[in-house]
Coordinates of all heavy atoms in Angstrom, one line a residue:
L1 N 0.8 -1.2 0.0 CA 0.0 0.0 0.0 C 0.8 1.3 0.0 O 0.3 2.3 -0.3 CB -0.9 0.0 1.2 CG -2.0 -1.1 1.3 CD1 -2.7 -1.0 2.6 CD2 -2.9 -1.1 0.1
L2 N 2.1 1.1 0.3 CA 3.0 2.3 0.4 C 3.2 2.9 -1.0 O 3.5 2.1 -2.0 CB 4.3 1.9 1.0 CG 4.3 1.5 2.5 CD1 5.7 1.1 3.0 CD2 3.7 2.6 3.4
S3 N 3.2 4.2 -1.1 CA 3.4 4.9 -2.4 C 4.9 4.9 -2.6 O 5.7 4.7 -1.7 CB 2.8 6.3 -2.4 OG 3.5 7.1 -1.4
A4 N 5.3 5.3 -3.9 CA 6.7 5.4 -4.2 C 7.4 6.5 -3.3 O 8.5 6.3 -2.8 CB 6.9 5.7 -5.7
A5 N 6.7 7.6 -3.1 CA 7.2 8.7 -2.2 C 7.4 8.2 -0.8 O 8.4 8.5 -0.2 CB 6.2 9.8 -2.2
E6 N 6.5 7.4 -0.3 CA 6.6 6.9 1.1 C 7.8 5.8 1.1 O 8.6 5.8 2.1 CB 5.3 6.2 1.5 CG 4.2 7.3 1.7 CD 2.8 6.7 1.8 OE1 2.7 5.5 1.4 OE2 1.9 7.4 2.2
L7 N 7.9 5.0 0.1 CA 8.9 4.0 0.1 C 10.3 4.6 0.1 O 11.3 4.1 0.7 CB 8.8 3.1 -1.1 CG 7.6 2.1 -1.1 CD1 7.4 1.5 -2.5 CD2 7.8 1.0 -0.1
N8 N 10.4 5.7 -0.7 CA 11.7 6.4 -0.8 C 12.2 7.0 0.5 O 13.4 7.4 0.7 CB 11.7 7.4 -1.9 CG 11.8 6.8 -3.3 OD1 12.5 5.9 -3.5 ND2 10.9 7.3 -4.2
K9 N 11.3 7.2 1.4 CA 11.6 7.8 2.7 C 12.1 6.8 3.7 O 12.6 7.2 4.8 CB 10.4 8.5 3.3 CG 9.9 9.8 2.5 CD 8.7 10.4 3.2 CE 8.2 11.6 2.4 NZ 7.0 12.2 3.0
I10 N 12.0 5.5 3.4 CA 12.5 4.5 4.3 C 14.0 4.5 4.4 O 14.7 4.5 3.4 CB 12.0 3.1 3.8 CG1 10.5 3.0 3.9 CG2 12.6 2.0 4.7 CD1 9.9 1.7 3.3
D11 N 14.5 4.5 5.7 CA 15.9 4.3 5.9 C 16.3 2.9 5.6 O 15.7 2.0 6.2 CB 16.2 4.7 7.4 CG 17.7 4.6 7.7 OD1 18.5 4.1 6.8 OD2 18.1 4.9 8.8
P12 N 17.2 2.6 4.7 CA 17.6 1.2 4.4 C 18.0 0.4 5.6 O 17.6 -0.8 5.6 CB 18.8 1.4 3.5 CG 18.6 2.8 2.8 CD 18.0 3.6 3.9
N13 N 18.6 1.0 6.6 CA 19.0 0.2 7.8 C 17.8 -0.3 8.5 O 17.9 -1.3 9.3 CB 19.8 1.1 8.7 CG 21.2 1.4 8.1 OD1 21.8 0.5 7.5 ND2 21.7 2.6 8.3
S14 N 16.6 0.3 8.3 CA 15.4 -0.2 9.0 C 15.1 -1.6 8.5 O 14.5 -2.4 9.3 CB 14.2 0.7 8.7 OG 14.5 2.0 9.3
L15 N 15.4 -1.9 7.3 CA 15.1 -3.3 6.7 C 15.9 -4.4 7.4 O 15.5 -5.5 7.3 CB 15.4 -3.3 5.2 CG 14.6 -2.3 4.4 CD1 14.9 -2.5 2.9 CD2 13.1 -2.6 4.6
K16 N 16.9 -4.0 8.1 CA 17.7 -5.0 8.9 C 16.9 -5.6 10.1 O 17.2 -6.6 10.6 CB 19.0 -4.5 9.4 CG 20.0 -4.1 8.3 CD 21.3 -3.6 8.9 CE 22.4 -3.4 7.9 NZ 23.7 -2.9 8.5
L17 N 15.9 -4.8 10.5 CA 15.2 -5.1 11.7 C 13.8 -5.6 11.5 O 13.1 -5.9 12.5 CB 15.1 -3.8 12.6 CG 16.5 -3.2 12.9 CD1 16.3 -1.9 13.7 CD2 17.4 -4.1 13.8
V18 N 13.4 -5.8 10.3 CA 12.0 -6.2 10.0 C 12.1 -7.4 9.0 O 13.1 -7.6 8.3 CB 11.2 -5.1 9.4 CG1 11.0 -3.9 10.4 CG2 11.8 -4.5 8.1
S19 N 11.0 -8.0 8.9 CA 10.8 -9.1 7.9 C 9.7 -8.8 6.9 O 8.5 -8.9 7.3 CB 10.5 -10.4 8.7 OG 10.3 -11.5 7.7
L20 N 10.1 -8.4 5.7 CA 9.1 -8.1 4.7 C 9.3 -9.0 3.5 O 10.4 -9.4 3.2 CB 9.3 -6.6 4.3 CG 9.1 -5.5 5.3 CD1 9.4 -4.2 4.8 CD2 7.7 -5.6 5.9
N21 N 8.2 -9.2 2.7 CA 8.3 -9.9 1.5 C 7.4 -9.2 0.5 O 6.2 -9.4 0.4 CB 7.9 -11.3 1.6 CG 8.1 -12.2 0.4 OD1 8.2 -11.6 -0.7 ND2 8.3 -13.5 0.6
P22 N 8.0 -8.3 -0.4 CA 7.2 -7.5 -1.3 C 6.9 -8.2 -2.7 O 6.6 -7.6 -3.7 CB 8.0 -6.3 -1.6 CG 9.5 -6.8 -1.5 CD 9.4 -7.9 -0.4
S23 N 7.0 -9.6 -2.7 CA 6.9 -10.3 -4.0 C 5.5 -10.1 -4.6 O 5.4 -10.3 -5.8 CB 7.2 -11.8 -3.8 OG 6.3 -12.4 -2.8
A24 N 4.5 -9.8 -3.8 CA 3.2 -9.6 -4.4 C 2.9 -8.2 -4.8 O 1.8 -7.9 -5.2 CB 2.1 -10.1 -3.4
C25 N 3.8 -7.3 -4.6 CA 3.6 -5.9 -4.8 C 3.9 -5.5 -6.3 O 4.3 -6.3 -7.1 CB 4.6 -5.0 -3.9 SG 4.3 -5.3 -2.1
S26 N 3.7 -4.2 -6.6 CA 3.9 -3.7 -7.9 C 5.4 -3.8 -8.2 O 6.2 -3.8 -7.3 CB 3.4 -2.3 -8.1 OG 4.2 -1.4 -7.3
Q27 N 5.8 -3.7 -9.5 CA 7.2 -3.7 -9.9 C 7.9 -2.5 -9.3 O 9.1 -2.6 -8.9 CB 7.3 -3.8 -11.4 CG 8.8 -4.1 -11.8 CD 9.3 -5.5 -11.3 OE1 8.6 -6.5 -11.5 NE2 10.4 -5.4 -10.5
T28 N 7.3 -1.4 -9.3 CA 7.9 -0.2 -8.7 C 8.3 -0.4 -7.3 O 9.4 0.0 -6.8 CB 7.0 1.0 -8.9 OG1 6.7 1.3 -10.2 CG2 7.6 2.3 -8.2
T29 N 7.3 -0.9 -6.5 CA 7.6 -1.2 -5.1 C 8.8 -2.2 -4.9 O 9.7 -2.0 -4.1 CB 6.3 -1.8 -4.4 OG1 5.3 -0.8 -4.4 CG2 6.6 -2.2 -3.0
K30 N 8.8 -3.2 -5.7 CA 9.8 -4.2 -5.6 C 11.2 -3.6 -6.0 O 12.2 -3.9 -5.3 CB 9.5 -5.4 -6.5 CG 8.4 -6.3 -5.9 CD 8.2 -7.6 -6.7 CE 7.4 -7.3 -8.0 NZ 7.0 -8.6 -8.6
D31 N 11.2 -2.8 -7.0 CA 12.5 -2.2 -7.4 C 13.0 -1.3 -6.3 O 14.2 -1.3 -6.1 CB 12.2 -1.3 -8.7 CG 11.9 -2.2 -9.9 OD1 12.1 -3.4 -9.8 OD2 11.5 -1.6 -10.9
I32 N 12.2 -0.4 -5.7 CA 12.6 0.5 -4.7 C 13.1 -0.3 -3.4 O 14.2 0.0 -2.9 CB 11.5 1.4 -4.3 CG1 11.1 2.4 -5.4 CG2 11.9 2.3 -3.1 CD1 9.9 3.3 -5.2
L33 N 12.4 -1.3 -3.0 CA 12.8 -2.0 -1.8 C 14.0 -2.9 -2.0 O 14.8 -3.1 -1.1 CB 11.6 -2.9 -1.3 CG 10.4 -2.1 -0.7 CD1 9.3 -3.1 -0.2 CD2 10.9 -1.3 0.6
Y34 N 14.2 -3.4 -3.3 CA 15.4 -4.1 -3.5 C 16.6 -3.3 -3.4 O 17.6 -3.6 -2.8 CB 15.4 -4.8 -4.9 CG 16.7 -5.4 -5.3 CD1 17.2 -6.5 -4.7 CD2 17.6 -4.7 -6.1 CE1 18.4 -7.1 -5.0 CE2 18.9 -5.2 -6.4 CZ 19.3 -6.4 -5.8 OH 20.5 -6.9 -6.1
A35 N 16.6 -2.1 -4.0 CA 17.7 -1.1 -3.9 C 18.0 -0.8 -2.5 O 19.2 -0.7 -2.1 CB 17.4 0.1 -4.7
K36 N 17.0 -0.6 -1.6 CA 17.2 -0.3 -0.2 C 17.8 -1.5 0.5 O 18.7 -1.4 1.4 CB 15.9 0.2 0.4 CG 15.5 1.6 -0.1 CD 14.3 2.2 0.6 CE 14.1 3.6 0.2 NZ 15.1 4.5 0.7
A37 N 17.2 -2.7 0.2 CA 17.7 -3.9 0.9 C 19.2 -4.2 0.5 O 20.0 -4.6 1.3 CB 16.9 -5.1 0.5
K38 N 19.5 -3.9 -0.8 CA 20.9 -4.1 -1.2 C 21.9 -3.2 -0.4 O 22.9 -3.7 0.0 CB 21.0 -3.9 -2.7 CG 22.4 -4.1 -3.3 CD 22.4 -3.8 -4.8 CE 23.8 -3.9 -5.4 NZ 23.9 -3.6 -6.8
R39 N 21.4 -2.0 -0.2 CA 22.3 -1.1 0.6 C 22.3 -1.5 2.0 O 23.4 -1.5 2.7 CB 21.7 0.3 0.5 CG 21.9 1.1 -0.8 CD 21.4 2.5 -0.7 NE 21.9 3.3 0.4 CZ 21.4 4.4 0.8 NH1 20.3 4.9 0.2 NH2 21.9 5.0 1.8
A40 N 21.2 -2.0 2.6 CA 21.1 -2.3 4.0 C 22.1 -3.5 4.3 O 22.7 -3.5 5.4 CB 19.7 -2.7 4.4
F41 N 22.1 -4.5 3.4 CA 22.9 -5.7 3.7 C 24.3 -5.7 2.9 O 24.9 -6.7 2.8 CB 22.1 -6.9 3.4 CG 20.8 -7.0 4.1 CD1 19.6 -6.8 3.5 CD2 20.8 -7.2 5.5 CE1 18.4 -6.9 4.2 CE2 19.6 -7.3 6.2 CZ 18.4 -7.1 5.6
S42 N 24.7 -4.6 2.4 CA 25.9 -4.5 1.6 C 27.1 -4.9 2.4 O 28.1 -5.5 1.8 CB 26.1 -3.1 1.0 OG 26.2 -2.1 2.1
D43 N 27.1 -4.7 3.7 CA 28.3 -5.0 4.5 C 28.4 -6.5 4.7 O 29.4 -7.0 5.2 CB 28.2 -4.3 5.9 CG 26.9 -4.7 6.7 OD1 25.9 -5.1 6.0 OD2 26.9 -4.5 7.9
Q44 N 27.3 -7.3 4.3 CA 27.4 -8.7 4.5 C 27.5 -9.4 3.1 O 27.2 -10.6 3.0 CB 26.1 -9.2 5.2 CG 25.9 -8.6 6.6 CD 24.6 -9.1 7.2 OE1 24.2 -10.2 7.1 NE2 23.9 -8.2 7.9
H45 N 27.8 -8.7 2.1 CA 27.8 -9.2 0.7 C 28.6 -10.4 0.5 O 28.3 -11.3 -0.3 CB 28.2 -8.1 -0.3 CG 27.8 -8.4 -1.7 ND1 28.7 -9.2 -2.5 CD2 26.8 -8.1 -2.4 CE1 28.1 -9.3 -3.7 NE2 26.9 -8.7 -3.7
N46 N 29.7 -10.6 1.2 CA 30.6 -11.7 1.1 C 30.3 -12.8 2.1 O 31.1 -13.8 2.1 CB 32.0 -11.3 1.2 CG 32.4 -10.3 0.1 OD1 32.1 -10.5 -1.1 ND2 33.2 -9.3 0.4

């Protein structure tokens, strides 16, 4: 239900503390959340 504007306000580090699965969302929502999740977990990439 979150709009693109609302999604863009999410601090990527917040995703480390929650369990979300946007697979049923719009492609725009999935694209935005993937970019934020990638940033959030970048320190664990290896």
Side-chain angles (χ1 to χ4, degrees):
L1 298 177
L2 296 175
S3 67
E6 291 163 347
L7 290 166
N8 283 318
K9 292 179 181 179
I10 296 175
D11 180 354
N13 289 320
S14 297
L15 297 182
K16 291 182 176 181
L17 306 174
V18 296
S19 178
L20 298 175
N21 188 336
S23 60
C25 299
S26 68
Q27 192 59 57
T28 298
T29 295
K30 289 187 280 190
D31 291 348
I32 294 173
L33 286 178
Y34 171 74
K36 288 185 175 291
K38 182 181 177 181
R39 284 182 57 192
F41 301 110
S42 60
D43 58 340
Q44 303 178 37
H45 195 274
N46 295 320

